[in-house]
Amino acid sequence: MTLTTTLPGLTLKNPVMPASGCFGFGKEYSQFYDLNELGAIIIKAATGEARYGNATPRVAETASGMLNAIGLQNPGVEAIINEELPFLRPFETPVIANVAGSTVEEYVKVTKAFNHSNDIHALELNISCPNVKEGGVQFGTDTELAKEVTYQVKQASKYPVYVKLSPNVSDIVVMAKAVTDAGADGLSMINTLTGMQINLKQRRPIIANKTGGLSGPAIKPIAIRMIYQVRQALDIPIIGMGGIITAEDVVEFY
Amino acid sequence: MISKQLLKIKSHLCIAQDTFEVVLHSPLARELKPGQFIHIALKHHMLRRPVSVANVDVGAETFTIVFKIFGEGTRALSNCKAGGDFLDAILPCGSYYPIDRLQLDHALIVGGGIGGVPPLYYLAQSLKKKGVQITSVLGFQTKSHVFYEDKFQLLGDTYVATNDGTYGAKGFVTDIITELSTDIDYYFACGPTAMLKAVTDQLETQEGYISLEERMGCGVGTCYACVVPLKEDPSKSKKICKDGPVFYANEVILP
Ligand SMILES: Cc1cc2nc3c(=O)[nH]c(=O)nc-3n(C[C@H](O)[C@H](O)[C@H](O)COP(=O)(O)OP(=O)(O)OC[C@H]3O[C@@H](n4cnc5c(N)ncnc54)[C@H](O)[C@@H]3O)c2cc1C
Ligand SMILES: Cc1cc2nc3c(=O)[nH]c(=O)nc-3n(C[C@H](O)[C@H](O)[C@H](O)COP(=O)(O)O)c2cc1C
Ligand code: FES
């Protein structure tokens, strides 16, 4: 049986890849196993400039999952290209860069910066970021904003663009159609669902940011439901994620 | 090198109220340095639990952890059995007290409670082997929480404070440090953030190292859950799980 998988811009040995933010830039986990075994690696979000992120605590354990509010901490796109990506060069595993921003201009800036790197093979557009120009509305929860950022990034990018959908919407199909119309080469789904957990002793949320993104097995049924809905409506390639731990989980996403 | 291991539980003892001392077998035991921790996976829990190395026996290829029941994870850990059970852990994690690089004759050790006392015991053992004179100040909430005082006593002068005065001096470790009249070369502190703040302020003119705690995700440096801002440029940070938990006392801004 062959596990080879082809997607726009990507030929993968197998369809297994760590999700953005769960794997840093690969260095740490390369101590645990050979990164050549992975189908691809999606690296931590890149923003235009270095970003500090939120106050700590940034994570909390929940039933069958966890909340995180890292706040997109990263060294900035230039440092990622110059200091992080060279480490991954010796591996045959394709790299997908996760692109984030607070404005459409920032997304485009990051996209253009990646055009100058030969160490990546595709972009994943993280539209679960608040738009500072629109009062903090997430790009990924407003169809017009999502369309606009997808279109502009697709115009600017020499790499295929996968748009990572936010599940924090009432109709995922509407959003999937919008970004597909705007030129997305593929989708990845799902990002985290917004949640909150209270520290009973302190009578306040555990996470300093108050809310965080829920991930892990708790969200797997939601991911599968949403992918099913989008697949019914559209023919576009989808990278599935959300609570995948075992081989059985992977198969369930097909 | 850091790796994921299944550790055999050699012994499992209750040593104070809700406080357990567990000896684990690992061929990596000799690589564990004072200040480092292991990151333990538990059934039905998504996140691993960080616990410090409290002592190492190189000959037996074993090391000790000491922990207190705090929530569900540490409760599950307290129910593990010696003999049959294995612990899934990542080790060795994080930085360590750089004692081999330091020129020192007399060290002050300041430990607060369950987070602080265990790693400092391994440190004190290591300092003793190097012939360093040790003065230890240990703080606990109350008498029933006190542990390892006798062990520290064997390594040097040891003072205990309890917040409620039910054992040793009443008050905080800083109250005892004020009374100390000895000259020290370095201090090594570990415990709750409030204690570390008080101690680093009090010993501002001394050289020292501190060990920090934070809620962790990965424990290996990939997720940015556990950062602490740097004094020289607060827009920059280090990761407590990978660059820490041990930092030079003046390097970081305590939360
Ligand atoms: C580097 C380091 C070394 C430590 N060494 C020791 C030790 O030697 N002995 C010991 O008893 N305890 C130690 N702790 C604290 C220990 O990790 C927590 O008590 C434990 O994680 C609590 O888990 P729980 O499931 O019982 O509590 P819960 O509150 O149910 O845990 C929920 C979540 O919060 C996290 N959490 C809660 N409190 C802490 C805390 N203080 N620090 C970090 N994460 C926390 C848990 O890991 C878990 O992800 C250490 C912490 C760190 C960071
Ligand atoms: C600690 C952490 C950091 C994350 N950082 C990012 C990120 O930078 N960009 C992004 O698009 N998604 C990020 N995510 C979301 C994941 O990539 C993924 O979509 C989500 O966690 C669901 O998958 P999972 O349940 O397998 O973790 C992050 C998730 C976690 C837990
Ligand atoms: S816990 Fe993930 S970076 Fe420290």
Side-chain angles (χ1 to χ4, degrees), chain A residues 171-206:
Chain A
D171 190 342
I172 195 73
V173 176
V174 170
M175 191 56 75
K177 279 189 173 149
V179 300
T180 306
D181 289 346
D185 296 288
L187 304 174
S188 66
M189 39 195 302
I190 58 175
N191 211 320
T192 55
L193 287 124
T194 309
M196 192 193 271
Q197 173 126 318
I198 307 297
N199 183 329
L200 292 182
K201 282 181 209 151
Q202 297 177 344
R203 296 166 160 261
R204 59 163 193 250
I206 292 178

Side-chain angles (χ1 to χ4, degrees), chain B residues 23-228:
Chain B
V23 177
L24 301 162
H25 179 265
S26 167
L28 289 187
R30 63 170 65 242
E31 289 184 28
L32 297 165
K33 299 206 172 67
Q36 290 189 308
F37 67 97
I38 70 170
H39 209 27
I40 304 172
L42 296 161
K43 250 192 208 139
H44 313 303
H45 289 278
M46 282 305 294
L47 297 180
R48 290 174 180 264
R49 302 300 194 262
V51 179
S52 302
V53 176
N55 205 3
V56 169
D57 183 337
V58 172
E61 292 194 325
T62 59
F63 67 95
T64 306
I65 57 172
V66 178
F67 62 89
K68 191 175 163 99
I69 297 180
F70 179 80
E72 285 312 309
T74 41
R75 182 174 302 282
L77 204 52
S78 76
N79 290 328
C80 292
K81 302 255 176 324
D85 286 0
F86 286 81
L87 275 190
D88 170 340
I90 292 175
L91 69 153
C93 296
S95 65
Y96 46 88
Y97 294 99
I99 55 173
D100 288 337
R101 285 203 274 113
L102 304 178
Q103 194 61 42
L104 81 174
D105 297 317
H106 189 179
L108 172 65
I109 283 183
V110 187
I114 187 65
V117 174
L120 292 175
Y121 180 62
Y122 182 25
L123 174 72
Q125 285 269 8
S126 309
L127 288 169
K128 184 78 182 173
K129 277 193 194 128
K130 283 170 56 90
V132 177
Q133 187 192 341
I134 299 161
T135 301
S136 305
V137 179
L138 310 177
F140 298 92
Q141 267 172 22
T142 185
K143 184 179 178 186
S144 61
H145 291 190
V146 178
F147 65 93
Y148 271 28
E149 182 197 7
D150 49 338
K151 292 191 178 233
F152 275 90
Q153 216 107 50
L154 293 174
L155 302 173
D157 290 342
T158 302
Y159 304 89
V160 173
T162 50
N163 298 358
D164 63 0
T166 45
Y167 189 82
K170 179 172 162 54
F172 301 103
V173 288
T174 41
D175 300 329
I176 295 182
I177 297 171
T178 310
E179 306 280 307
L180 292 178
S181 54
T182 47
D183 274 344
I184 57 148
D185 304 308
Y186 282 91
Y187 72 90
F188 302 96
C190 185
T193 309
M195 183 204 94
L196 290 179
K197 269 191 174 154
V199 170
T200 48
D201 281 350
Q202 186 179 27
L203 300 176
E204 209 185 348
T205 55
Q206 295 277 350
E207 300 275 332
Y209 287 84
I210 55 174
S211 176
L212 306 185
E213 279 186 20
E214 186 52 86
R215 282 173 188 257
M216 291 183 176
C218 66
V220 299
T222 67
C223 75
Y224 292 100
C226 65
V227 299
V228 59

Side-chain angles (χ1 to χ4, degrees), chain A residues 18-23 42-46 58-59 65-74 98-100 124-129 164-165 188-193 213-220 223 240-245, chain B residues 46 217-218 222-225:
Chain A
S20 176
C22 304
F23 209 71
I42 311 184
I43 57 173
K44 176 70 189 169
R58 293 176 170 184
V59 292
M66 64 176 282
L67 293 171
N68 89 79
I70 306 295
L72 293 177
Q73 178 159 7
N74 78 95
N98 187 268
V99 176
E124 181 187 57
L125 196 56
N126 176 3
I127 57 172
S128 299
C129 308
K164 181 162 178 178
L165 299 185
S188 66
M189 39 195 302
I190 58 175
N191 211 320
T192 55
L193 287 124
L214 181 66
S215 61
I219 70 168
K220 193 183 71 170
M241 60 190 74
I244 298 177
I245 292 180
Chain B
M46 282 305 294
C218 66
T222 67
C223 75
Y224 292 100

